[in-house]
Amino acid sequence: MKLISKPSMNLNGKIRIPGDKSISHRALICASISEGISKIANLQESEDVMNTLNSLRQLGINIYKESDCYFVEGKGFKGLQKSDSQLYFGNSGTGLRLMSGLLSSQDFSSSLSGDESLSKRPMKRILDPLVEMGANISGSQMDTLPINIIPTKKIKGINYEMQIASAQVKSAILFAGLGADGKTKITEKSVSRDHTERMFEYFGANISYSKTETTLEKTKNFNAQNIQIPGDFSSSAFYIVASLISKNSEITLKDVGLNPSRIALLNKLVEMGANIKVFNNSLFGKEPVADMKVKSSPLIACEVTSEDVPNLIDELPILFIASSFAEGTSSFDNIQELKHKESDRLKAMQEGLNKMKIKNFFSGNKFCIEGRGQDFKTPHFLAETYYDHRIAMSFAIAGLNSSSSIEISSPESINTSFPEFIDLGKKLGCNFERV
Ligand code: S3P
């Protein structure tokens, strides 16, 4: 299949965005190790999250769906059972890394694998701290998949100073920390997303956290909870930019997760001149949510500093697209981590920007994009997406401002995080076509 994205204007309408991916993984895992039945509303029904759900089923957890909600029969910290076969996490670094932490402290062995893209991604970043905690965990010779875990007598809490800004690494340590003797303390140089901390707190963990320091003390058990998952801000980002760059548009997004560790894109876009209103603020559990109204706006270039990067790491591809339609040269400092995502996103975006006739280059450590303003129309081309959902969705949005169309290769990757993307986009007026 291919996706064709054609010129679109007058985007309009009000939609609810499906559940947040990061929070969905955490909700399923925490519910599985809690005591009692948890109910989860607005779980993201993407391939990534369903792989985590299936792996929990393989570990003996009963999970079922009834009237749009998922029910998870938790079995407590020690209730998981050995899986007869390897656990498969598809494209999802989050599912695999979080579950590696959790399974490190179980008294049975496990083996974890993933698809071609995940099999190339670096795992040393989780193996090092987990081994320091006493886990008997290893990867392949290159520290990639499969991950094999052999039961160990004792996992101990550690003081860990994070070398890279990564919520997946931090969370793997925290999940292992639930089964550890003593306290687990993590210090970060930059702020990474704190959904695990908030979810642990909601389930009753003995945890304290600030922007760059997290301490988990011995926790006896988790109690089952009702969880309402906020709309995924990272999924919303594509429609936010779509509405900004398409003339005469005004869209409303309902119940979007606005966790402060996730919304640097929003602040950046407002600095760029975006007309975005946030209203109806509330809390889903420990997570802030609100509605957003976004209107077409002329944009000016942005400056992204290295401190901004962890907070908008998943939104960099779509921010590159917004910058292409802004006036002036945008700069992005220290974005090397982009090379280690579902694809080498830096390479994939540079290739696509070149085809869009958008000048991009490095100046020292800064990646720069020369914007061509709101009236620019991209030429027709085929975007190679390297089976990466966010690359596919970013060029699909760019196509709304094309002279005739942009074709998107392997758009099936979009199902890993946002299976509803094409249909919800069409509902708003995006001229998308499956061929
Ligand atoms: C995620 C953390 C981020 C992000 C990913 C989801 C999470 O990865 O890119 O999409 O849910 O913890 P890193 O922790 O590797 O930066």
Side-chain angles (χ1 to χ4, degrees):
M1 192 192 55
K2 252 193 239 151
L3 169 64
I4 315 254
S5 172
K6 294 187 184 161
S8 311
M9 286 198 290
N10 311 314
L11 302 192
N12 186 279
K14 190 193 251 191
I15 55 168
R16 192 177 299 276
I17 297 286
D20 182 89
K21 179 148 72 81
S22 294
I23 303 175
S24 294
H25 286 293
R26 287 155 173 87
L28 283 170
I29 304 173
C30 290
S32 298
I33 55 170
S34 71
E35 282 165 23
I37 302 178
S38 292
K39 179 179 169 188
I40 308 177
N42 202 30
L43 186 80
Q44 183 181 101
E45 292 183 304
S46 63
E47 287 174 3
D48 278 11
V49 172
M50 290 303 126
N51 280 321
T52 293
L53 184 151
N54 286 331
S55 76
L56 290 163
R57 281 186 176 147
Q58 270 179 259
L59 293 161
I61 301 298
N62 190 23
I63 305 175
Y64 51 94
K65 188 176 176 185
E66 247 174 48
S67 42
D68 280 350
C69 289
Y70 282 83
F71 292 83
V72 181
E73 293 183 1
K75 288 185 162 183
F77 286 165
K78 287 286 165 201
L80 300 178
Q81 290 156 17
K82 182 174 167 23
S83 165
D84 295 335
S85 50
Q86 196 169 49
L87 302 168
Y88 178 73
F89 290 90
N91 200 243
S92 176
T94 306
L96 182 125
R97 291 187 174 122
L98 270 51
M99 288 298 290
S100 297
L102 178 71
L103 293 170
S104 287
S105 68
Q106 302 294 317
D107 51 15
F108 53 81
S109 53
S110 301
S111 180
L112 296 81
S113 74
D115 71 3
E116 204 185 315
S117 142
L118 188 54
S119 298
K120 288 191 210 131
R121 292 177 67 187
M123 294 298 150
K124 188 169 158 48
R125 51 183 64 193
I126 57 162
L127 297 175
D128 284 350
L130 294 174
V131 166
E132 198 180 320
M133 294 175 88
N136 205 337
I137 182 169
S138 58
S140 71
Q141 260 186 354
M142 304 289 288
D143 286 326
T144 49
L145 300 188
I147 299 273
N148 287 308
I149 301 170
I150 296 170
T152 182
K153 283 217 173 59
K154 209 160 132 188
I155 291 283
K156 58 178 192 301
I158 51 170
N159 271 340
Y160 194 72
E161 225 174 276
M162 298 276 294
Q163 300 308 310
I164 37 170
S166 165
Q168 293 180 359
V169 175
K170 177 175 63 174
S171 304
I173 300 170
L174 289 172
F175 274 106
L178 286 177
D181 276 345
K183 79 175 170 200
T184 302
K185 187 171 164 193
I186 302 167
T187 320
E188 298 179 271
K189 290 185 198 103
S190 345
V191 189
S192 66
R193 63 188 72 186
D194 62 3
H195 301 302
T196 304
E197 294 88 319
R198 287 174 193 253
M199 189 66 76
F200 274 25
E201 189 182 14
Y202 190 55
F203 273 86
N206 202 347
I207 191 166
S208 60
Y209 54 98
S210 63
K211 277 190 173 161
T212 51
E213 208 175 275
T214 306
T215 307
L216 175 68
E217 309 250 15
K218 191 76 200 153
T219 297
K220 237 176 80 214
N221 65 325
F222 275 3
N223 295 315
Q225 299 295 338
N226 281 342
I227 306 159
Q228 168 98 24
I229 313 263
D232 195 313
F233 179 78
S234 300
S235 300
S236 310
F238 296 103
Y239 299 141
I240 294 173
V241 173
S243 186
L244 292 174
I245 66 170
S246 310
K247 298 261 168 72
N248 296 319
S249 298
E250 178 177 322
I251 65 165
T252 303
L253 307 174
K254 296 275 301 157
D255 296 334
V256 181
L258 292 184
N259 179 310
S261 63
R262 289 285 295 281
I263 53 166
L265 174 85
L266 176 61
N267 302 331
K268 253 336 123 187
L269 289 172
V270 169
E271 277 169 37
M272 292 169 82
N275 186 338
I276 304 177
K277 299 256 171 316
V278 173
F279 56 105
N280 281 343
N281 293 73
S282 67
L283 273 181
F284 284 3
K286 302 282 176 193
E287 294 281 352
V289 295
D291 298 343
M292 301 172 78
K293 188 173 279 209
V294 187
K295 290 190 189 173
S296 328
S297 314
L299 300 174
I300 52 166
C302 65
E303 190 187 336
V304 170
T305 65
S306 55
E307 288 82 59
D308 295 327
V309 170
N311 193 312
L312 48 63
I313 185 77
D314 290 344
E315 285 70 67
L316 281 170
I318 191 64
L319 186 52
F320 291 173
I321 300 299
S323 305
S324 304
F325 295 98
E327 292 289 345
T329 302
S330 294
S331 70
F332 304 85
D333 196 11
N334 210 358
I335 55 169
Q336 302 309 316
E337 196 51 26
L338 270 191
K339 294 180 182 219
H340 304 297
K341 292 296 171 187
E342 286 82 330
S343 70
D344 177 342
R345 285 189 177 154
L346 186 54
K347 177 170 161 244
M349 286 308 296
Q350 282 181 294
E351 265 178 36
L353 290 172
N354 290 339
K355 290 182 185 170
M356 276 171 72
K357 305 283 179 226
I358 294 291
K359 199 166 163 199
N360 62 93
F361 55 92
F362 268 94
S363 166
N365 220 12
K366 287 188 182 161
F367 181 58
C368 302
I369 292 179
E370 278 185 16
R372 298 187 60 173
Q374 64 171 339
D375 293 326
F376 172 63
K377 301 277 171 252
T378 79
H380 166 82
F381 67 96
L382 170 68
E384 174 56 66
T385 63
Y386 299 95
Y387 201 81
D388 184 324
H389 55 135
R390 297 198 204 282
I391 302 297
M393 289 188 275
S394 296
F395 287 115
I397 298 306
L400 306 179
N401 263 357
S402 59
S403 53
S404 60
S405 68
I406 295 180
E407 286 178 61
I408 316 294
S409 75
S410 48
E412 313 78 49
S413 65
I414 295 172
N415 294 334
T416 62
S417 73
F418 195 4
E420 304 84 353
F421 171 74
I422 298 176
D423 291 334
L424 278 178
K426 280 174 146 179
K427 207 169 150 191
L428 293 173
C430 300
N431 207 343
F432 293 153
E433 207 181 300
R434 294 180 178 93
V435 288

